[in-house]
Short mmCIF file of all heavy atoms in Angstrom, two decimals:
data_model
loop_
_atom_site.label_atom_id
_atom_site.label_comp_id
_atom_site.label_asym_id
_atom_site.label_seq_id
_atom_site.Cartn_x
_atom_site.Cartn_y
_atom_site.Cartn_z
N MET O 1 0.80 -1.23 0.11
CA MET O 1 -0.07 -0.02 -0.09
C MET O 1 0.93 1.32 0.05
O MET O 1 0.52 2.27 -0.65
CB MET O 1 -0.93 0.03 1.27
CG MET O 1 -2.00 -1.10 1.29
SD MET O 1 -3.56 -0.76 0.58
CE MET O 1 -4.05 0.74 1.30
N ILE O 2 1.96 1.18 0.71
CA ILE O 2 2.88 2.41 0.78
C ILE O 2 3.39 2.81 -0.55
O ILE O 2 3.51 3.95 -0.88
CB ILE O 2 4.00 2.16 1.79
CG1 ILE O 2 3.29 1.99 3.20
CG2 ILE O 2 4.94 3.35 1.76
CD1 ILE O 2 4.41 1.59 4.24
N GLU O 3 3.70 1.74 -1.37
CA GLU O 3 4.27 1.99 -2.62
C GLU O 3 3.25 2.53 -3.59
O GLU O 3 3.53 3.33 -4.49
CB GLU O 3 4.92 0.70 -3.29
CG GLU O 3 6.15 0.18 -2.46
CD GLU O 3 6.55 -1.12 -2.83
OE1 GLU O 3 6.08 -1.66 -3.92
OE2 GLU O 3 7.50 -1.72 -2.13
N VAL O 4 1.99 2.16 -3.44
CA VAL O 4 0.96 2.62 -4.28
C VAL O 4 0.50 4.05 -4.03
O VAL O 4 0.35 4.86 -5.09
CB VAL O 4 -0.23 1.63 -4.26
CG1 VAL O 4 -1.32 2.13 -5.10
CG2 VAL O 4 0.21 0.23 -4.70
N PHE O 5 0.28 4.40 -2.86
CA PHE O 5 -0.19 5.76 -2.52
C PHE O 5 1.00 6.54 -1.85
O PHE O 5 1.70 6.06 -1.12
CB PHE O 5 -1.32 5.64 -1.46
CG PHE O 5 -2.57 4.80 -1.96
CD1 PHE O 5 -2.86 3.61 -1.45
CD2 PHE O 5 -3.31 5.44 -3.00
CE1 PHE O 5 -3.91 2.91 -1.95
CE2 PHE O 5 -4.45 4.77 -3.47
CZ PHE O 5 -4.79 3.53 -2.96
N SER O 6 1.01 7.81 -2.27
CA SER O 6 1.86 8.75 -1.61
C SER O 6 1.40 9.28 -0.29
O SER O 6 0.30 8.98 0.10
CB SER O 6 2.22 9.94 -2.56
OG SER O 6 1.09 10.77 -2.73
N ARG O 7 2.16 9.99 0.28
CA ARG O 7 1.82 10.54 1.63
C ARG O 7 0.70 11.55 1.48
O ARG O 7 -0.24 11.67 2.34
CB ARG O 7 3.02 11.28 2.39
CG ARG O 7 2.77 11.61 3.76
CD ARG O 7 4.06 12.13 4.44
NE ARG O 7 5.03 11.09 4.56
CZ ARG O 7 6.20 11.19 5.07
NH1 ARG O 7 6.57 12.39 5.60
NH2 ARG O 7 7.05 10.22 5.21
N SER O 8 0.71 12.35 0.41
CA SER O 8 -0.27 13.49 0.20
C SER O 8 -1.69 12.72 -0.03
O SER O 8 -2.60 13.30 0.32
CB SER O 8 0.19 14.26 -0.96
OG SER O 8 0.29 13.58 -2.21
N THR O 9 -1.71 11.60 -0.63
CA THR O 9 -2.89 10.94 -0.92
C THR O 9 -3.58 10.54 0.37
O THR O 9 -4.74 10.67 0.59
CB THR O 9 -2.70 9.57 -1.77
OG1 THR O 9 -1.99 10.05 -3.02
CG2 THR O 9 -3.96 8.92 -2.10
N GLY O 10 -2.65 10.06 1.31
CA GLY O 10 -3.29 9.71 2.66
C GLY O 10 -3.97 10.88 3.31
O GLY O 10 -4.92 10.77 3.97
N TYR O 11 -3.25 12.03 3.27
CA TYR O 11 -3.79 13.27 3.78
C TYR O 11 -5.18 13.72 3.17
O TYR O 11 -6.00 14.22 3.84
CB TYR O 11 -2.75 14.45 3.83
CG TYR O 11 -1.66 14.29 4.93
CD1 TYR O 11 -0.36 14.04 4.37
CD2 TYR O 11 -1.98 14.37 6.11
CE1 TYR O 11 0.61 13.93 5.36
CE2 TYR O 11 -0.96 14.15 7.10
CZ TYR O 11 0.32 14.05 6.71
OH TYR O 11 1.36 13.78 7.63
N LEU O 12 -5.09 13.50 1.86
CA LEU O 12 -6.33 13.91 1.10
C LEU O 12 -7.51 12.97 1.54
O LEU O 12 -8.71 13.42 1.67
CB LEU O 12 -6.13 13.80 -0.44
CG LEU O 12 -5.31 14.78 -0.90
CD1 LEU O 12 -5.01 14.56 -2.52
CD2 LEU O 12 -5.97 16.18 -0.86
N ILE O 13 -7.27 11.65 1.67
CA ILE O 13 -8.34 10.72 2.04
C ILE O 13 -8.80 11.06 3.57
O ILE O 13 -9.88 11.08 3.80
CB ILE O 13 -7.75 9.27 2.09
CG1 ILE O 13 -7.57 8.89 0.62
CG2 ILE O 13 -8.75 8.42 2.77
CD1 ILE O 13 -6.77 7.61 0.37
N MET O 14 -7.78 11.41 4.42
CA MET O 14 -8.23 11.78 5.81
C MET O 14 -8.95 13.09 5.78
O MET O 14 -10.03 13.16 6.63
CB MET O 14 -6.92 11.95 6.71
CG MET O 14 -6.35 10.61 7.06
SD MET O 14 -5.11 10.77 8.27
CE MET O 14 -3.72 11.62 7.37
N GLY O 15 -8.58 14.02 4.94
CA GLY O 15 -9.39 15.27 4.86
C GLY O 15 -10.89 14.99 4.38
O GLY O 15 -11.75 15.59 4.94
N ALA O 16 -10.98 14.14 3.38
CA ALA O 16 -12.27 13.88 2.84
C ALA O 16 -13.12 13.20 3.88
O ALA O 16 -14.38 13.38 4.05
CB ALA O 16 -12.20 12.99 1.58
N LEU O 17 -12.48 12.20 4.63
CA LEU O 17 -13.35 11.50 5.72
C LEU O 17 -13.74 12.56 6.80
O LEU O 17 -14.76 12.36 7.34
CB LEU O 17 -12.50 10.39 6.24
CG LEU O 17 -12.23 9.12 5.29
CD1 LEU O 17 -11.32 8.15 5.94
CD2 LEU O 17 -13.63 8.57 5.01
N SER O 18 -12.80 13.57 7.12
CA SER O 18 -13.21 14.43 8.14
C SER O 18 -14.35 15.34 7.71
O SER O 18 -15.31 15.57 8.48
CB SER O 18 -11.97 15.31 8.42
OG SER O 18 -10.94 14.62 8.91
N ILE O 19 -14.35 15.78 6.44
CA ILE O 19 -15.47 16.52 5.99
C ILE O 19 -16.82 15.89 5.92
O ILE O 19 -17.73 16.30 6.41
CB ILE O 19 -15.07 17.07 4.56
CG1 ILE O 19 -13.95 18.21 4.49
CG2 ILE O 19 -16.41 17.71 3.82
CD1 ILE O 19 -13.45 18.55 3.25
N ALA O 20 -16.70 14.47 5.43
CA ALA O 20 -17.91 13.70 5.42
C ALA O 20 -18.40 13.46 6.91
O ALA O 20 -19.62 13.56 7.16
CB ALA O 20 -17.55 12.41 4.74
N SER O 21 -17.54 13.26 7.79
CA SER O 21 -18.05 12.96 9.18
C SER O 21 -18.65 14.25 9.67
O SER O 21 -19.59 14.24 10.55
CB SER O 21 -16.84 12.46 10.04
OG SER O 21 -15.90 13.41 10.19
N THR O 22 -18.03 15.49 9.45
CA THR O 22 -18.56 16.77 9.99
C THR O 22 -19.98 16.88 9.34
O THR O 22 -20.81 17.24 10.24
CB THR O 22 -17.79 17.87 9.47
OG1 THR O 22 -16.37 17.59 10.07
CG2 THR O 22 -18.22 19.23 9.90
N ILE O 23 -20.20 16.63 8.25
CA ILE O 23 -21.56 16.83 7.58
C ILE O 23 -22.56 15.81 8.26
O ILE O 23 -23.71 16.15 8.65
CB ILE O 23 -21.53 16.55 5.99
CG1 ILE O 23 -20.72 17.65 5.42
CG2 ILE O 23 -22.88 16.49 5.40
CD1 ILE O 23 -20.35 17.48 3.91
N LEU O 24 -22.15 14.60 8.49
CA LEU O 24 -22.99 13.67 9.09
C LEU O 24 -23.33 13.98 10.44
O LEU O 24 -24.57 13.83 10.97
CB LEU O 24 -22.39 12.20 9.19
CG LEU O 24 -22.34 11.48 7.68
CD1 LEU O 24 -21.49 10.33 7.80
CD2 LEU O 24 -23.73 11.26 7.18
N ILE O 25 -22.35 14.57 11.13
CA ILE O 25 -22.65 14.90 12.57
C ILE O 25 -23.61 16.04 12.73
O ILE O 25 -24.51 16.13 13.56
CB ILE O 25 -21.20 15.30 13.33
CG1 ILE O 25 -20.54 13.97 13.64
CG2 ILE O 25 -21.60 16.04 14.59
CD1 ILE O 25 -19.11 14.21 14.08
N LYS O 26 -23.36 17.09 11.79
CA LYS O 26 -24.22 18.28 11.85
C LYS O 26 -25.70 17.82 11.49
O LYS O 26 -26.74 18.37 12.09
CB LYS O 26 -23.77 19.24 10.72
CG LYS O 26 -22.56 19.96 11.31
CD LYS O 26 -22.24 21.19 10.42
CE LYS O 26 -21.19 22.09 10.98
NZ LYS O 26 -21.32 23.44 10.93
N THR O 27 -25.95 16.94 10.54
CA THR O 27 -27.22 16.47 10.17
C THR O 27 -27.93 15.73 11.31
O THR O 27 -29.16 15.83 11.59
CB THR O 27 -27.28 15.77 8.86
OG1 THR O 27 -26.42 14.59 8.91
CG2 THR O 27 -26.91 16.53 7.73
N SER O 28 -27.06 14.91 12.03
CA SER O 28 -27.65 14.16 13.09
C SER O 28 -28.10 15.05 14.26
O SER O 28 -28.99 14.78 14.91
CB SER O 28 -26.74 12.96 13.55
OG SER O 28 -25.58 13.56 14.10
N ILE O 29 -27.28 16.09 14.57
CA ILE O 29 -27.63 17.04 15.56
C ILE O 29 -28.81 17.73 15.19
O ILE O 29 -29.81 17.86 16.17
CB ILE O 29 -26.53 18.08 15.84
CG1 ILE O 29 -25.23 17.23 16.46
CG2 ILE O 29 -26.91 19.16 16.69
CD1 ILE O 29 -24.05 18.22 16.59
N LYS O 30 -29.17 18.17 13.96
CA LYS O 30 -30.34 18.80 13.63
C LYS O 30 -31.50 17.88 13.81
O LYS O 30 -32.60 18.34 14.29
CB LYS O 30 -30.32 19.40 12.15
CG LYS O 30 -29.42 20.51 11.94
CD LYS O 30 -29.39 20.90 10.46
CE LYS O 30 -28.34 21.91 10.25
NZ LYS O 30 -28.33 22.35 8.85
N ARG O 31 -31.33 16.68 13.40
CA ARG O 31 -32.49 15.66 13.62
C ARG O 31 -32.74 15.56 15.05
O ARG O 31 -34.00 15.39 15.41
CB ARG O 31 -32.03 14.30 13.09
CG ARG O 31 -32.25 14.30 11.59
CD ARG O 31 -32.06 12.85 11.17
NE ARG O 31 -31.41 12.84 9.80
CZ ARG O 31 -30.63 12.00 9.36
NH1 ARG O 31 -30.26 10.92 10.08
NH2 ARG O 31 -30.14 12.03 8.09
N SER O 32 -31.84 15.37 15.98
CA SER O 32 -32.06 15.18 17.40
C SER O 32 -32.66 16.36 17.88
O SER O 32 -33.64 16.26 18.89
CB SER O 32 -30.86 14.86 18.14
OG SER O 32 -29.93 15.91 18.09
N LYS O 33 -32.41 17.63 17.58
CA LYS O 33 -33.05 18.87 18.06
C LYS O 33 -34.51 18.89 17.58
O LYS O 33 -35.44 19.22 18.36
CB LYS O 33 -32.36 20.14 17.56
CG LYS O 33 -31.12 20.33 18.25
CD LYS O 33 -30.52 21.72 17.77
CE LYS O 33 -29.15 22.03 18.42
NZ LYS O 33 -28.61 23.26 17.98
N LYS O 34 -34.92 18.38 16.40
CA LYS O 34 -36.23 18.32 16.00
C LYS O 34 -37.05 17.39 16.73
O LYS O 34 -38.17 17.58 17.11
CB LYS O 34 -36.30 17.97 14.45
CG LYS O 34 -35.85 19.19 13.59
CD LYS O 34 -36.03 18.84 12.10
CE LYS O 34 -35.58 19.88 11.18
NZ LYS O 34 -35.58 19.45 9.80
N GLU O 35 -36.39 16.19 17.02
CA GLU O 35 -37.17 15.25 17.84
C GLU O 35 -37.38 15.66 19.21
O GLU O 35 -38.42 15.31 19.81
CB GLU O 35 -36.28 13.90 17.73
CG GLU O 35 -36.38 13.25 16.33
CD GLU O 35 -35.42 12.04 16.34
OE1 GLU O 35 -34.88 11.70 17.40
OE2 GLU O 35 -35.25 11.49 15.21
N ALA O 36 -36.42 16.36 19.83
CA ALA O 36 -36.57 16.82 21.14
C ALA O 36 -37.70 17.93 21.25
O ALA O 36 -38.48 17.95 22.22
CB ALA O 36 -35.39 17.39 21.67
N SER O 37 -37.86 18.58 20.18
CA SER O 37 -38.99 19.66 20.29
C SER O 37 -40.33 18.99 20.02
O SER O 37 -41.28 19.70 20.30
CB SER O 37 -38.73 20.78 19.16
OG SER O 37 -38.80 20.09 17.85
N LYS O 38 -40.42 17.79 19.46
CA LYS O 38 -41.63 17.20 19.30
C LYS O 38 -42.21 16.40 20.54
O LYS O 38 -43.32 15.90 20.48
CB LYS O 38 -41.52 16.13 18.15
CG LYS O 38 -41.34 16.72 16.82
CD LYS O 38 -41.24 15.70 15.79
CE LYS O 38 -41.04 16.29 14.24
NZ LYS O 38 -40.89 15.21 13.36
N GLU O 39 -41.42 16.44 21.63
CA GLU O 39 -41.80 15.77 22.80
C GLU O 39 -43.12 16.41 23.34
O GLU O 39 -43.31 17.54 23.21
CB GLU O 39 -40.78 15.78 23.89
CG GLU O 39 -39.55 14.93 23.52
CD GLU O 39 -38.52 15.00 24.63
OE1 GLU O 39 -38.72 15.77 25.59
OE2 GLU O 39 -37.42 14.39 24.47
N GLU O 40 -44.02 15.59 23.98
CA GLU O 40 -45.15 16.09 24.46
C GLU O 40 -44.89 16.97 25.77
O GLU O 40 -45.67 17.95 25.96
CB GLU O 40 -46.02 14.82 24.84
CG GLU O 40 -46.60 14.07 23.68
CD GLU O 40 -47.44 12.91 23.99
OE1 GLU O 40 -47.95 12.96 25.13
OE2 GLU O 40 -47.68 12.14 23.03
N PHE O 41 -44.12 16.46 26.48
CA PHE O 41 -43.83 17.24 27.95
C PHE O 41 -42.50 17.77 27.82
O PHE O 41 -41.49 17.03 28.02
CB PHE O 41 -43.94 16.31 29.00
CG PHE O 41 -45.36 15.74 29.16
CD1 PHE O 41 -45.56 14.44 28.80
CD2 PHE O 41 -46.50 16.50 29.59
CE1 PHE O 41 -46.93 13.82 28.95
CE2 PHE O 41 -47.67 15.95 29.71
CZ PHE O 41 -47.94 14.57 29.36
N PRO O 42 -42.34 19.06 27.70
CA PRO O 42 -41.05 19.61 27.92
C PRO O 42 -40.43 19.40 29.25
O PRO O 42 -41.14 19.23 30.21
CB PRO O 42 -41.29 21.22 27.66
CG PRO O 42 -42.43 21.25 26.89
CD PRO O 42 -43.37 20.09 27.40
N LEU O 43 -39.09 19.54 29.38
CA LEU O 43 -38.53 19.25 30.73
C LEU O 43 -39.11 20.15 31.76
O LEU O 43 -39.18 19.63 32.95
CB LEU O 43 -36.87 19.46 30.51
CG LEU O 43 -36.08 19.24 31.72
CD1 LEU O 43 -36.22 17.67 32.09
CD2 LEU O 43 -34.75 19.52 31.43
N GLU O 44 -39.26 21.41 31.50
CA GLU O 44 -39.72 22.34 32.61
C GLU O 44 -41.14 21.78 33.11
O GLU O 44 -41.40 21.86 34.29
CB GLU O 44 -39.81 23.79 32.00
CG GLU O 44 -38.51 24.28 31.68
CD GLU O 44 -38.71 25.53 30.79
OE1 GLU O 44 -39.84 25.77 30.20
OE2 GLU O 44 -37.69 26.11 30.51
N GLU O 45 -41.93 21.43 32.26
CA GLU O 45 -43.34 20.89 32.79
C GLU O 45 -43.17 19.64 33.53
O GLU O 45 -43.89 19.60 34.52
CB GLU O 45 -44.21 20.80 31.47
CG GLU O 45 -44.67 21.97 30.86
CD GLU O 45 -45.64 21.67 29.63
OE1 GLU O 45 -46.06 20.46 29.57
OE2 GLU O 45 -45.86 22.63 28.87
N MET O 46 -42.29 18.81 33.17
CA MET O 46 -42.10 17.58 33.96
C MET O 46 -41.50 17.94 35.27
O MET O 46 -42.02 17.30 36.34
CB MET O 46 -41.05 16.70 33.29
CG MET O 46 -41.60 16.15 31.95
SD MET O 46 -40.45 15.19 30.96
CE MET O 46 -39.98 13.89 32.15
N LEU O 47 -40.71 18.86 35.48
CA LEU O 47 -40.11 19.37 36.75
C LEU O 47 -41.28 19.92 37.64
O LEU O 47 -41.33 19.75 38.87
CB LEU O 47 -38.94 20.24 36.62
CG LEU O 47 -37.70 19.65 35.95
CD1 LEU O 47 -36.73 20.65 35.73
CD2 LEU O 47 -37.06 18.56 36.93
N ILE O 48 -42.08 20.76 36.97
CA ILE O 48 -43.17 21.34 37.77
C ILE O 48 -44.06 20.29 38.22
O ILE O 48 -44.50 20.19 39.45
CB ILE O 48 -43.89 22.43 36.90
CG1 ILE O 48 -42.94 23.59 36.61
CG2 ILE O 48 -45.12 22.83 37.57
CD1 ILE O 48 -43.55 24.49 35.54
N GLU O 49 -44.54 19.27 37.52
CA GLU O 49 -45.33 18.31 37.92
C GLU O 49 -44.83 17.39 39.06
O GLU O 49 -45.51 16.90 39.88
CB GLU O 49 -45.70 17.27 36.76
CG GLU O 49 -46.59 18.11 35.74
CD GLU O 49 -46.94 17.15 34.47
OE1 GLU O 49 -46.40 16.02 34.57
OE2 GLU O 49 -47.55 17.59 33.64
N ARG O 50 -43.41 17.33 39.23
CA ARG O 50 -42.85 16.41 40.21
C ARG O 50 -42.97 17.04 41.53
O ARG O 50 -43.04 16.38 42.51
CB ARG O 50 -41.37 16.29 39.88
CG ARG O 50 -41.19 15.34 38.79
CD ARG O 50 -39.66 15.12 38.75
NE ARG O 50 -39.28 13.72 38.70
CZ ARG O 50 -38.05 13.30 38.78
NH1 ARG O 50 -37.10 14.10 38.76
NH2 ARG O 50 -37.77 12.03 38.80
N LYS O 51 -43.17 18.43 41.67
CA LYS O 51 -43.14 19.09 42.94
C LYS O 51 -44.47 18.94 43.56
O LYS O 51 -45.22 18.41 43.95
CB LYS O 51 -42.88 20.55 42.77
CG LYS O 51 -41.48 20.79 42.32
CD LYS O 51 -41.20 22.34 42.23
CE LYS O 51 -39.73 22.57 41.82
NZ LYS O 51 -39.67 24.00 41.72
#
């Protein structure tokens, strides 16, 4: 593998993987925020009911 790929190719691959993971993380955070806002009982109401 070392003979086939140069060092710069490895850095390009790592950069591409980093960009792809950043995009996936941002989309998953947006989804989790939307799901949290759809909950029936917000956290504040749950705390008020406990008292």
